[in-house]
Amino acid sequence: MVVGASVAGLTTAVTLRTLGYDGRLTLIGDEPHTPYNRPPLSKQILAGTWEPDRIKLRTDEELSDLDARLLFGRSATGLDTATRRVTLDGGDSVGYDTLVIATGVTPNSLPGAHHLAGVHLLRTLDDALALRADLRHRPDVRVAVVGAGFLGSEAAAAARRMKLDVTMIDPRPVPMRRQFGDRIAALVGRLHKKNGVSMRCGTGVRRFFESGGRVTGLELTDGTLLGADVVVVAIGSVPAIGWLAGSGLELGNGVECDPTCRAAPGVYAAGDVASWHNDHFGCRMRLEHRLNATEQAQAVARNVLGENRPFAPVPYFWTDQYDAHIQAYGIFPADAELAVLHGELEGGHFVVAYGHAGRVVGVLGWNSPCELRRLRQLVVDRAPWASVAPTPPAVWTGRHLSASIR
Amino acid sequence: MQVTVHQDKCVASGQCVLAAQDVFDQRDEDGVAVLLDERPPTELHDDVRQAAAVCPALAITPAGS
Ligand SMILES: Cc1cc2nc3c(=O)[nH]c(=O)nc-3n(C[C@H](O)[C@H](O)[C@H](O)COP(=O)(O)OP(=O)(O)OC[C@H]3O[C@@H](n4cnc5c(N)ncnc54)[C@H](O)[C@@H]3O)c2cc1C
Ligand code: SF4
């Protein structure tokens, strides 16, 4: 049985069938839609260039070929690992031999805001369509994006493409800092400014103003008052593990698994919800990356069928904002050193390597997909940092570099 | 097997090249996938199916067997 019917859950089911599993298969998901791809939600769907039909992960025919019991629009509310049963929202329960948990993450909300019309989260297709409709309802809509991670950044870019007035707010000094450090964050900040976004970084939201149940503006923690007709809240997310309380599974930052993605006898986890020990980097991780959901689900399906191999990938992530296509392989510790391997930071095309504990642990490309793919091998090989970094003083730390590109 | 790449969906991730480099390549200027071999030989079919399965944009269709 698989709980969570998005990319990780569906890929688990598909891979099990591809590998020859012909036993019973149940796929449970709480969204009313058949499984779809999330990345286009904040890009083509929000911008209005694609309609929802284009992002289906499988056609209805392919889904029925899976020969699985599909329970869509149903949510799992409890798990009993002793009797191997999952409880559903109707109070009924379903038994399993092996359970794969693929319930992803739930976006964080801002206290005291979400009862107001005009305030949006962005995780599901319905979220994206509701936000799109609100952005289009007048040509002079003022948009406030709270949270300058990749999701908020993409939403801001989509709104700017619609020529709307956009303000971005984040308590951190620069966008996407948590993901890739100060250096790249400063470049993303500059990109937003160049594209006409008003940046309010280093400040949070104190309260919202409303009229007749609809948001009209907000007050920032530095006292600034901002008018806003639409507010996008993109302040991170938490693993969807509420339904697993009391199940006896180890729950921390997600469902805690061993290196083979197994959480307990007969229980595995895959995708955004899974935390596991990645032997390649020698550390525990939980990723909210589209490719990982596929790769981890494939690994889980193989392990369910007895392969029992550690899942030790080099993670891949991408984000598109305006004309910047940013892609990254590996991990990006806050205290990593950086070295430019291709192009120039100022030139709009480059690849940088991240070094940590004497090894290359990540590479990030900005409008350089082919070069980045070639340089990925450095992360696969855990190449010695000394082999890519120029000799001092040109080995820059994040701090020095962010100063140099302001 | 007849392979199709939907370039308008491609997000230039390069996963297809990593999975089957004799069948896929990426355009130098923007990384969008190009087909090197529309009808790859049988021994590459598994790699092509894996490329289609991991493609994060669902941009690859391998038809037939
Ligand atoms: C707008 C947006 C843009 C993105 N863009 C990118 C990008 O450009 N690049 C990138 O690498 N990644 C991107 N991502 C991240 C990527 O989409 C995720 O990593 C991926 O969707 C994870 O898949 P998943 O199946 O693990 O989880 P999810 O896609 O979150 O699926 C989990 C499913 O389980 C369901 N569920 C939850 N609880 C229950 C329950 N109790 N019972 C039944 N069902 C339940 C949920 O409703 C959901 O359908 C983006 C994400 C979003 C939201
Ligand atoms: S794997 Fe898919 S998205 Fe990535 S380059 Fe190939 S076709 Fe494009």
Side-chain angles (χ1 to χ4, degrees):
Chain A
M1 175 192 302
V2 181
V3 180
S6 180
V7 62
L10 181 66
T11 304
T12 307
V14 168
T15 310
L16 284 168
R17 286 298 190 224
T18 309
L19 294 175
Y21 172 74
D22 60 3
R24 280 200 298 170
L25 189 56
T26 305
L27 182 57
I28 300 168
D30 63 5
E31 292 189 67
H33 309 281
T34 57
Y36 56 88
N37 202 22
R38 278 180 221 283
L41 296 181
S42 48
K43 306 175 183 76
Q44 294 90 341
I45 296 287
L46 203 51
T49 50
W50 287 10
E51 290 306 318
D53 262 3
R54 287 202 76 167
I55 62 170
K56 283 183 182 229
L57 288 174
R58 287 291 183 284
T59 62
D60 291 349
E61 193 189 339
E62 287 165 331
L63 285 176
S64 85
D65 286 349
L66 253 188
D67 192 19
R69 188 172 168 214
L70 304 175
L71 300 178
F72 295 157
R74 299 295 306 276
S75 66
T77 53
L79 166 66
D80 186 335
T81 48
T83 58
R84 299 205 175 193
R85 294 194 79 80
V86 168
T87 313
L88 300 184
D89 45 6
D92 47 333
S93 72
V94 192
Y96 65 84
D97 296 316
T98 305
L99 171 68
V100 178
I101 298 168
T103 43
V105 295
T106 312
N108 292 320
S109 43
L110 267 181
H114 295 274
H115 63 287
L116 297 177
V119 178
H120 295 265
L121 295 169
L122 182 49
R123 180 77 194 170
T124 66
L125 175 58
D126 294 341
D127 292 343
L129 293 176
L131 174 57
R132 174 167 106 180
D134 236 7
L135 290 176
R136 283 175 170 179
H137 94 274
R138 274 202 336 248
D140 58 345
V141 166
R142 297 160 303 169
V143 184
V145 176
V146 183
F150 87 88
L151 192 60
S153 289
E154 289 188 358
R160 278 303 297 151
R161 205 168 307 129
M162 298 162 126
K163 307 261 187 292
L164 302 175
D165 174 274
V166 180
T167 305
M168 210 164 168
I169 302 143
D170 196 294
R172 281 168 287 231
V174 273
M176 304 224 314
R177 184 188 197 205
R178 194 173 53 82
Q179 286 99 339
F180 300 122
D182 283 341
R183 293 285 315 301
I184 301 305
L187 288 177
V188 175
R190 218 166 56 178
L191 186 66
H192 282 304
K193 279 187 205 153
K194 195 180 99 190
N195 283 280
V197 173
S198 158
M199 300 296 285
R200 294 288 181 152
C201 285
T203 177
V205 178
R206 182 174 292 149
R207 61 187 170 126
F208 290 86
F209 300 107
E210 59 145 321
S211 165
R214 188 170 181 100
V215 71
T216 54
L218 23 84
E219 180 184 343
L220 305 184
T221 48
D222 66 1
T224 311
L225 300 178
L226 270 182
D229 312 293
V230 173
V231 177
V232 183
V233 177
I235 50 172
S237 31
V238 290
I241 50 177
W243 66 285
L244 299 168
S247 65
L249 292 184
E250 239 179 274
L251 304 174
N253 176 22
V255 177
E256 305 227 333
C257 301
D258 71 9
T260 67
C261 307
R262 201 182 72 135
V267 183
Y268 294 78
D272 287 8
V273 76
S275 154
W276 88 109
H277 191 272
N278 183 332
D279 290 348
H280 184 77
F281 296 94
C283 61
R284 183 165 275 285
M285 52 179 74
R286 186 179 67 77
L287 301 171
E288 297 183 11
H289 297 175
R290 171 63 179 80
L291 182 69
N292 184 67
T294 302
E295 292 185 334
Q296 194 163 24
Q298 290 187 331
V300 162
R302 289 192 300 264
N303 289 345
V304 164
L305 297 179
E307 191 176 282
N308 265 331
R309 217 171 357 144
F311 175 59
V314 167
Y316 171 75
F317 171 80
W318 87 96
T319 172
D320 294 325
Q321 312 177 5
Y322 312 102
D323 57 354
H325 184 58
I326 305 169
Q327 302 169 288
Y329 284 105
I331 59 173
F332 307 89
D335 55 344
E337 290 180 285
L338 276 83
V340 178
L341 301 186
H342 160 80
E344 297 169 43
L345 294 174
E346 301 295 326
H349 296 266
F350 63 82
V351 177
V352 285
Y354 287 65
H356 196 250
R359 300 281 164 180
V360 178
V361 294
V363 285
L364 177 143
W366 185 295
N367 288 333
S368 302
C370 297
E371 292 78 9
L372 181 76
R373 192 192 72 240
R374 290 177 201 118
L375 291 164
R376 166 185 182 271
Q377 194 61 33
L378 295 169
V379 189
V380 176
D381 295 342
R382 302 182 67 247
W385 183 244
S387 68
V388 304
T391 46
V395 177
W396 302 317
T397 65
R399 194 163 44 86
H400 291 135
L401 273 179
S402 71
S404 75
I405 55 168
R406 285 264 156 77
Chain B
M1 175 188 278
Q2 169 83 39
V3 188
T4 316
V5 170
H6 308 276
Q7 292 185 323
D8 53 335
K9 281 188 164 184
C10 173
V11 295
S13 72
Q15 300 308 311
C16 51
V17 185
L18 294 171
Q21 60 174 5
D22 293 332
V23 182
F24 304 97
D25 198 359
Q26 287 180 277
R27 287 201 300 235
D28 272 340
E29 64 273 25
D30 58 8
V32 167
V34 288
L35 263 178
L36 300 176
D37 190 349
E38 276 177 38
R39 293 187 163 275
T42 319
E43 64 268 23
L44 295 180
H45 288 188
D46 280 351
D47 292 347
V48 172
R49 284 193 203 96
Q50 175 61 4
V54 292
C55 171
L58 304 156
I60 300 170
T61 322
S65 52

